[in-house]
Amino acid sequence: MPDSPIRKLAPLAEQARQKGIEVFHLNIGQPDLPTPPEALEAIKNIDRKILEYTPSEGILSFRQKLATYYHRFDIDVETEDIIITSGGSEAVTFAFMSCLDPGDEIIVPEPAYANYEAFAIVAGAKIKAIAADIEEGFSLPPIEEFEKLISPKTKGIMICNPNNPTGYLYTQQEMNAIRDLVKKYDLYLFSDEVYREFCYTGAPYISAFHLKGIEQNVVLVDSVSKRYSECGLRIGALITKNKEVKRNVIKFCQARLSPPLIGQIAAEASLDADPEYMLNNYNEYVNRRKFLIDGLNRIEGVYSPIPMGAFYTVARLPVDNSDKFCEWLLSDFHYESQTIFLAPASGFYTGSDRGMNEVRIAYVLKKEDLAKSLKILEEALKVYPGSKVRQKMASEETK
Amino acid sequence: MPDSPIRKLAPLAEQARQKGIEVFHLNIGQPDLPTPPEALEAIKNIDRKILEYTPSEGILSFRQKLATYYHRFDIDVETEDIIITSGGSEAVTFAFMSCLDPGDEIIVPEPAYANYEAFAIVAGAKIKAIAADIEEGFSLPPIEEFEKLISPKTKGIMICNPNNPTGYLYTQQEMNAIRDLVKKYDLYLFSDEVYREFCYTGAPYISAFHLKGIEQNVVLVDSVSKRYSECGLRIGALITKNKEVKRNVIKFCQARLSPPLIGQIAAEASLDADPEYMLNNYNEYVNRRKFLIDGLNRIEGVYSPIPMGAFYTVARLPVDNSDKFCEWLLSDFHYESQTIFLAPASGFYTGSDRGMNEVRIAYVLKKEDLAKSLKILEEALKVYPGSKVRQKMASEETK
């Protein structure tokens, strides 16, 4: 099981704090926005004497309500297609374990969520990655690149849409290309759509379940963690219309007995969240996104494409090695007793040479902290030994 | 992934209910006793605006308090040895995945908790079983039988103590024999001790961590599910002093991000449960155990050893095939519009021919329902076509 660069940096952040340095966490996907009051209220109102197992596939009323929720997005699934899991993590794990045999391969455009690889390892499967290009805004790599990787071992494609870490939202044309490939080779399409509520450009969110003719191939992964700021509940879902996959997934669900009871109660209540609550959170992300991306692109040598969804961007920095830069930010730098924790992009690529000057930045901090973070980044790039900005400044000085 | 016989029977129980038949559930390990009020209160008093991820290894204060809890049982572990998991299920899964490679083997005395096999399959490992004998009260099979199975692929032994499904409690002598074997072959000892609070005979509970000289080999599995009637919280723990195992387990923990937040809060509060609450539950099980075992052994042809712990017994019935008998009880029989759901023991054995006239009975029902259940069993054995009691009665009639 590989170690992620973020995890290696965590002790440095702790050490910085102990030295009295305030650390702005732009490295994690833990939203700072409030959980819906409906969820907190539901937890307070639990009136049970025994906190029992729930059915292995989840509480029926919750699954029914989720079906209605998906219908609002024109996702045509029924209660029986929805299996509740302990977070999206378990949904991905069970999807891989149920659909893949040891030695099987799945194709993943990258940068990609680092733990997909961990879950593939658990299933004994292998990820074959195709790098998306920051210059293309991290759009889907040419479908021919996917086709080149297809072998008899290839069993599926995994996408995340809107994308973590890039914030990219796949277009209809791109989704159609994926659909045709999935159909041609009869592959599974694992689609992680946990950020569907966060699409900012007016471009449509296209679910894997919107694609005609591959309904039996789609395994959708969902979670309430990001949508409702409920990461701690550990409630996700695996959605499939494929009876055989469903049967396999249920066996894994039964072995682990039950998803968390209280999390399900709170998540079910969250489906009744006030539309104004959802809109406020949405607007907050819209504002932060504009503020952050504008700010990043104003810093000399920094480039960020404009993310269309989720609450991340992958930016290119004028540094030699973003692993080292992120480490240096925590261990050797502070500006007015503050510093920033960024996620080196190397953790989102399987190839060791990719993304070496890229970082993921999550806009899960309020605007004033984002402003400070941007200032810290700008100042850091002026003095970091491996910074091209510093080198340029130095060479100008000697002229 | 194998299908368990209990799960195959569940739809029949549902159909019986729909026909207006009351079904007594002696088939499951879901206690009917109340959750500690301290836990329910802690949930009501949660005063957070955001339900965030917890650390991957669990909330620090909870782990600290758990260490103190274990010290009460002379289990010498520290906070850093304790990793919080999503139920005991995840603890077993992560233990196997962290210690075993695909193709590795573990030896398990059986009858054994059915899902161990499922978790071994997830890790790509194989269970080698040794049958314990009902005539010996399900005591540990001779250690020479274990030794015969040891090959270079053997990496560990898994025990459950007190035992699910048999209620057996391993003696000091048996535990010493296990210790010596573990030491001789440098094996892991996976020890599931979730029923430690439920030991009824005055015989000591011997934890794997009580065994001297194998501290680095022990991986202890725990859970609050049974202890505090909190199955729905999904909170367990994996405890190891082995740094390498710990490092591996933490990686799996990080990949799934966090155990459930609210479950941890409730479980931590449960550690302060009133001793009277614990004693009441304990006494209730003591009474039920005596009542059930006496009642079983009074029924013609039925035999149950006296379980020393947990809240199960495995009994022998005078039937041809307990899978068929348990099915028949749900589909073809009722006595005064009531019937019983028993767990066929075949699900607790890996060999297809073992336990064919045994069932597991959980005493998770109040005494009056246990009384009714015993009566139903007695009447059923008089009329079940494959019952030796019925056959005997018929042959006596024709004399």
Side-chain angles (χ1 to χ4, degrees):
Chain A
M1 184 73 65
D3 236 335
S4 99
I6 303 186
R7 288 166 201 152
K8 282 190 225 159
L9 295 179
L12 297 181
E14 185 50 38
Q15 286 163 26
R17 252 191 306 278
Q18 282 166 7
K19 285 188 278 181
I21 296 167
E22 185 180 7
V23 180
F24 292 111
H25 281 262
L26 300 160
N27 61 305
I28 44 164
Q30 166 65 60
D32 61 320
L33 299 180
T35 302
E38 289 82 357
L40 302 172
E41 207 49 39
I43 292 170
K44 279 203 197 316
N45 291 339
I46 287 171
D47 185 27
R48 292 174 182 237
K49 291 263 173 286
I50 312 179
L51 302 178
E52 292 176 291
Y53 291 122
T54 78
S56 296
E57 70 278 15
I59 295 173
L60 182 62
S61 59
F62 176 36
R63 294 163 61 224
Q64 286 168 333
K65 251 172 119 167
L66 265 179
T68 309
Y69 166 83
Y70 293 124
H71 295 165
R72 282 174 16 213
F73 293 89
D74 287 322
I75 295 174
D76 179 27
V77 293
E78 303 311 318
T79 303
E80 76 227 41
D81 305 327
I82 300 169
I83 298 167
I84 306 302
T85 55
S86 293
S89 302
E90 193 180 70
V92 179
T93 307
F94 286 178
F96 287 175
M97 300 221 50
S98 302
C99 299
L100 308 175
D101 288 319
D104 283 351
E105 295 175 358
I106 44 175
I107 303 176
V108 182
E110 64 179 20
Y113 180 56
N115 287 320
Y116 293 156
E117 199 190 351
F119 304 138
I121 289 171
V122 170
K126 214 176 157 182
I127 283 186
K128 292 285 196 176
I130 300 178
D133 192 341
I134 192 169
E135 292 294 338
E136 308 289 332
F138 294 114
S139 58
L140 192 75
I143 209 75
E144 300 76 44
E145 296 298 315
F146 286 76
E147 206 152 5
K148 276 186 208 157
L149 288 184
I150 289 178
S151 79
K153 286 181 178 170
T154 310
K155 294 292 156 60
I157 294 173
M158 170 109 215
I159 57 170
C160 178
N161 185 37
N163 191 271
N164 171 12
T166 66
Y168 189 78
L169 182 70
Y170 292 117
T171 64
Q172 182 72 62
Q173 202 180 2
E174 288 169 330
M175 291 299 281
N176 287 350
I178 291 172
R179 175 201 62 200
D180 294 344
L181 196 70
V182 162
K183 216 171 183 170
K184 183 169 172 188
Y185 294 96
D186 194 20
L187 303 173
Y188 288 110
L189 177 54
F190 304 105
S191 188
D192 176 347
E193 303 179 6
V194 307
Y195 297 98
R196 81 171 61 74
E197 303 264 359
F198 306 119
C199 299
Y200 308 117
T201 61
Y205 146 67
I206 296 150
S207 169
F209 271 121
H210 293 159
L211 306 173
K212 300 286 171 219
I214 59 164
E215 290 81 359
Q216 290 295 313
N217 304 60
V218 170
V219 181
L220 193 146
V221 168
D222 203 8
S223 163
V224 298
S225 293
K226 314 292 174 166
R227 193 153 89 217
Y228 302 120
S229 221
E230 291 175 343
C231 298
L233 292 183
R234 313 311 302 129
I235 296 298
L238 182 155
I239 301 128
T240 177
K241 300 182 92 64
N242 184 312
K243 285 212 175 82
E244 200 190 322
V245 174
K246 223 182 283 185
R247 211 162 29 233
N248 284 336
V249 172
I250 287 284
K251 285 186 191 173
F252 288 103
C253 289
Q254 287 171 333
R256 64 79 164 114
L257 305 171
S258 159
L261 162 70
I262 302 186
Q264 289 180 78
I265 292 171
E268 181 174 342
S270 304
L271 292 170
D272 291 325
D274 191 330
E276 205 173 304
Y277 158 90
M278 297 301 290
L279 189 63
N280 284 345
N281 284 5
Y282 178 85
N283 286 337
E284 177 66 23
Y285 286 131
V286 167
N287 286 330
R288 290 176 183 183
R289 165 177 160 272
K290 178 165 170 40
F291 182 80
L292 175 72
I293 307 304
D294 286 353
L296 284 171
N297 285 321
R298 253 184 241 121
I299 299 174
E300 190 179 352
V302 175
Y303 169 65
S304 170
I306 299 173
M308 287 115 86
F311 40 66
Y312 310 97
T313 193
V314 170
R316 188 174 58 203
L317 304 183
V319 297
D320 53 343
N321 178 316
S322 59
D323 279 13
K324 288 184 190 159
F325 177 61
C326 294
E327 188 180 327
W328 176 88
L329 280 169
L330 295 169
S331 59
D332 292 296
F333 180 75
H334 61 91
Y335 175 74
E336 294 179 351
S337 295
Q338 296 177 321
T339 193
I340 48 178
F341 192 166
L342 306 176
S346 62
F348 305 104
Y349 291 94
T350 49
S352 58
D353 54 336
R354 289 178 188 152
M356 285 316 286
N357 56 357
E358 297 172 7
V359 292
R360 185 189 73 173
I361 302 176
Y363 38 103
V364 291
L365 300 179
K366 56 181 188 285
K367 224 158 144 183
E368 65 191 58
D369 290 342
L370 290 178
K372 287 179 195 162
S373 300
L374 285 164
K375 181 68 182 164
I376 291 164
L377 177 61
E378 186 172 11
E379 294 300 322
L381 289 171
K382 288 181 191 165
V383 294
Y384 173 59
S387 161
K388 289 176 191 160
V389 175
R390 175 182 149 154
Q391 286 152 13
K392 191 177 150 207
M393 281 163 65
S395 82
E396 276 167 7
E397 264 169 36
T398 55
K399 271 179 198 165
Chain B
M1 184 73 63
D3 236 334
S4 102
I6 304 185
R7 288 166 201 152
K8 280 190 225 157
L9 295 179
L12 297 180
E14 185 50 39
Q15 285 162 28
R17 251 189 308 278
Q18 282 166 5
K19 283 187 278 180
I21 296 167
E22 186 180 5
V23 179
F24 292 111
H25 282 262
L26 301 158
N27 61 305
I28 44 164
Q30 166 64 60
D32 61 321
L33 299 180
T35 302
E38 289 82 356
L40 301 173
E41 206 51 36
I43 292 170
K44 279 204 197 317
N45 291 337
I46 287 172
D47 185 28
R48 293 174 182 237
K49 292 264 173 289
I50 311 179
L51 302 177
E52 291 176 290
Y53 290 122
T54 78
S56 296
E57 69 279 15
I59 295 173
L60 182 62
S61 59
F62 176 36
R63 293 163 61 223
Q64 287 168 334
K65 253 173 119 165
L66 264 179
T68 309
Y69 165 84
Y70 293 124
H71 296 165
R72 283 175 16 213
F73 294 89
D74 288 321
I75 296 174
D76 180 26
V77 293
E78 303 311 317
T79 304
E80 75 225 44
D81 305 327
I82 301 168
I83 298 166
I84 306 303
T85 55
S86 293
S89 303
E90 193 181 70
V92 179
T93 307
F94 285 178
F96 288 175
M97 300 221 51
S98 302
C99 299
L100 308 175
D101 288 319
D104 283 350
E105 295 175 358
I106 46 176
I107 303 177
V108 182
E110 63 179 20
Y113 180 57
N115 287 320
Y116 294 156
E117 199 191 350
F119 303 137
I121 290 171
V122 170
K126 213 176 157 179
I127 284 185
K128 292 284 196 176
I130 301 177
D133 191 343
I134 192 169
E135 292 295 338
E136 308 289 333
F138 295 114
S139 58
L140 194 73
I143 208 76
E144 301 75 45
E145 297 297 315
F146 286 78
E147 207 152 4
K148 275 186 209 155
L149 289 185
I150 289 179
S151 79
K153 285 181 180 171
T154 311
K155 295 293 156 58
I157 294 174
M158 170 110 215
I159 58 170
C160 178
N161 185 36
N163 191 270
N164 171 14
T166 67
Y168 188 78
L169 182 68
Y170 292 116
T171 65
Q172 183 72 63
Q173 204 180 1
E174 289 169 329
M175 291 299 281
N176 287 351
I178 291 172
R179 176 202 60 200
D180 294 344
L181 196 71
V182 161
K183 216 171 182 173
K184 184 170 172 188
Y185 294 96
D186 195 20
L187 304 173
Y188 288 109
L189 177 54
F190 305 104
S191 188
D192 177 347
E193 304 179 7
V194 308
Y195 297 99
R196 82 172 60 75
E197 303 265 359
F198 307 119
C199 299
Y200 308 118
T201 62
Y205 146 67
I206 296 152
S207 169
F209 271 120
H210 294 159
L211 306 173
K212 299 288 171 214
I214 60 162
E215 292 81 359
Q216 291 295 314
N217 304 61
V218 171
V219 181
L220 195 147
V221 168
D222 203 6
S223 163
V224 298
S225 294
K226 314 292 173 165
R227 193 152 92 219
Y228 303 121
S229 224
E230 291 175 343
C231 298
L233 292 183
R234 312 313 300 128
I235 297 298
L238 182 154
I239 300 128
T240 178
K241 298 181 92 64
N242 184 312
K243 286 212 175 84
E244 199 189 323
V245 174
K246 221 181 285 184
R247 213 163 25 233
N248 284 337
V249 172
I250 287 284
K251 284 185 192 176
F252 288 104
C253 289
Q254 287 171 333
R256 62 79 164 114
L257 304 171
S258 159
L261 162 71
I262 301 183
Q264 289 181 80
I265 292 171
E268 182 174 342
S270 304
L271 293 170
D272 292 325
D274 192 331
E276 205 174 301
Y277 158 89
M278 296 303 288
L279 189 63
N280 284 345
N281 284 4
Y282 178 85
N283 287 337
E284 177 66 22
Y285 286 132
V286 168
N287 287 331
R288 290 178 184 182
R289 164 176 160 272
K290 179 165 168 40
F291 182 81
L292 175 72
I293 307 303
D294 286 354
L296 284 171
N297 285 321
R298 252 185 243 122
I299 299 174
E300 189 178 353
V302 174
Y303 170 64
S304 170
I306 299 172
M308 289 116 87
F311 40 64
Y312 311 96
T313 193
V314 170
R316 188 174 56 205
L317 305 183
V319 297
D320 53 343
N321 178 315
S322 60
D323 279 13
K324 285 183 192 159
F325 177 60
C326 294
E327 187 180 329
W328 176 87
L329 281 169
L330 294 168
S331 60
D332 291 296
F333 180 75
H334 61 92
Y335 174 74
E336 295 179 352
S337 297
Q338 296 177 321
T339 193
I340 49 178
F341 190 166
L342 306 176
S346 61
F348 303 104
Y349 291 94
T350 49
S352 58
D353 54 337
R354 290 178 189 152
M356 284 317 285
N357 56 357
E358 298 171 7
V359 292
R360 184 189 73 173
I361 303 177
Y363 38 103
V364 292
L365 299 180
K366 57 181 187 285
K367 225 156 141 182
E368 64 191 56
D369 289 342
L370 289 179
K372 288 179 195 163
S373 300
L374 285 164
K375 181 70 183 160
I376 291 164
L377 177 61
E378 187 173 11
E379 294 300 323
L381 289 171
K382 290 181 190 163
V383 293
Y384 173 59
S387 161
K388 289 173 191 161
V389 176
R390 175 180 150 157
Q391 285 152 15
K392 192 176 149 207
M393 284 164 64
S395 81
E396 276 164 7
E397 265 171 35
T398 55
K399 272 180 197 164

